[in-house]
Amino acid sequence: MSETASFVDPVFLARFGLTRINAIDYFLHPLNPFRTKAKTSNEVLSMQGMNIGTLMAWGTGTRPGPLSLEDGEDEYRVALSRLTGEQYELLPLANMEGMTPQQLAALFTIRHVHRTSVNQTKVLGIYYILEGVIYKSPSVRGLMKAHITRTLEGLSEACDALSVCARYDPSTGYIWKFEPSADDEEDDDALLYNVQEKKKRKRRRILDNRRPGER
């Protein structure tokens, strides 16, 4: 799946809204292409009637409710840690106190892990929900590839632009002419045409590895 793909369910958002209480439920939407096909620990807890909302309302045996949002999330993470298999964790915020409901609902970060014990997990992916739209967080490899590609494209365009301004004279060697005269217009047009054709061939070679001349 493309790293630029996204998912949004307007019906869910219009009916329930989106808060830290139901962010996991929203991510586990059956139509969400990012969710795993395997049965998750979150769904196991949900079948037991346990989620952040119910924990806030009723608490636990050792921690009776009502609980704050932060305490409810802590208890939910503890409940997940007792199970093994694939899980989705709602990553906590650095400081919830003093944040408005709008700030709390603006961005959610969800981590997909495979848990083998209480203290051992393997991260399978990281996702974020921004204004109700779910995205997959890009990998370090994908970020580096994108940055390098943009840098190389900029360097290539700069070299092509400078090559049009370069002139060679047998007696003086190479010189730069950044303000072409009327006599140089035909030469500039020819150079520009060659540069454009070179870029087309290069782009074709990158896209499908066709040899020059193939259609």
Side-chain angles (χ1 to χ4, degrees):
M1 181 181 297
S2 172
E3 292 186 347
T4 59
S6 62
F7 171 79
V8 62
D9 181 14
V11 176
F12 183 102
L13 297 175
R15 184 175 181 182
F16 303 107
L18 188 61
T19 65
R20 295 189 64 83
I21 296 175
N22 64 359
I24 292 292
D25 296 330
Y26 181 62
F27 188 88
L28 291 175
H29 192 288
L31 299 179
N32 180 13
F34 298 115
R35 60 158 297 172
T36 179
K37 302 301 180 184
K39 190 173 185 178
T40 65
S41 301
N42 308 83
E43 292 169 301
V44 173
L45 293 180
S46 180
M47 288 188 295
Q48 298 174 2
M50 187 181 297
N51 55 43
I52 296 175
T54 57
L55 289 170
M56 289 175 60
W58 304 105
T60 63
T62 58
R63 203 173 185 180
L67 302 177
S68 66
L69 175 60
E70 192 170 0
D71 292 338
E73 290 185 20
D74 289 339
E75 290 298 329
Y76 188 75
R77 281 190 286 271
V78 171
L80 283 177
S81 67
R82 299 193 186 103
L83 303 176
T84 58
E86 294 189 42
Q87 305 176 353
Y88 289 103
E89 302 174 339
L90 179 63
L91 297 186
L93 296 174
N95 186 13
M96 289 188 185
E97 295 183 4
M99 298 184 69
T100 64
Q102 291 77 15
Q103 291 174 325
L104 289 173
L107 176 65
F108 308 92
T109 305
I110 294 177
R111 181 169 59 188
H112 181 198
V113 301
H114 184 273
R115 185 179 295 276
T116 55
S117 68
V118 175
N119 298 319
Q120 290 187 344
T121 59
K122 178 182 179 182
V123 179
L124 303 178
I126 296 179
Y127 305 86
Y128 58 95
I129 308 175
L130 180 63
E131 299 293 341
V133 184
I134 301 175
Y135 303 92
K136 182 178 180 180
S137 179
S139 62
V140 175
R141 179 181 179 274
L143 287 174
M144 292 296 296
K145 183 178 179 181
H147 290 325
I148 292 174
T149 299
R150 284 195 293 267
T151 301
L152 292 177
E153 287 178 354
L155 289 174
S156 177
E157 291 176 0
C159 291
D160 291 341
L162 288 174
S163 66
V164 178
C165 303
R167 298 291 186 273
Y168 178 77
D169 185 271
S171 59
T172 60
Y174 281 100
I175 60 174
W176 298 99
K177 297 190 68 175
F178 297 102
E179 297 181 359
S181 61
D183 297 335
D184 296 329
E185 288 184 357
E186 293 184 1
D187 294 338
D188 289 343
D189 292 340
L191 284 171
L192 183 59
Y193 175 79
N194 291 333
V195 168
Q196 292 174 344
E197 289 298 313
K198 179 181 177 182
K199 291 176 69 176
K200 289 180 182 178
R201 289 195 297 269
K202 182 179 179 181
R203 188 177 296 110
R204 281 179 40 165
R205 188 161 58 251
I206 292 175
L207 290 176
D208 56 12
N209 294 317
R210 287 182 293 177
R211 291 190 298 271
E214 287 186 334
R215 293 184 178 273

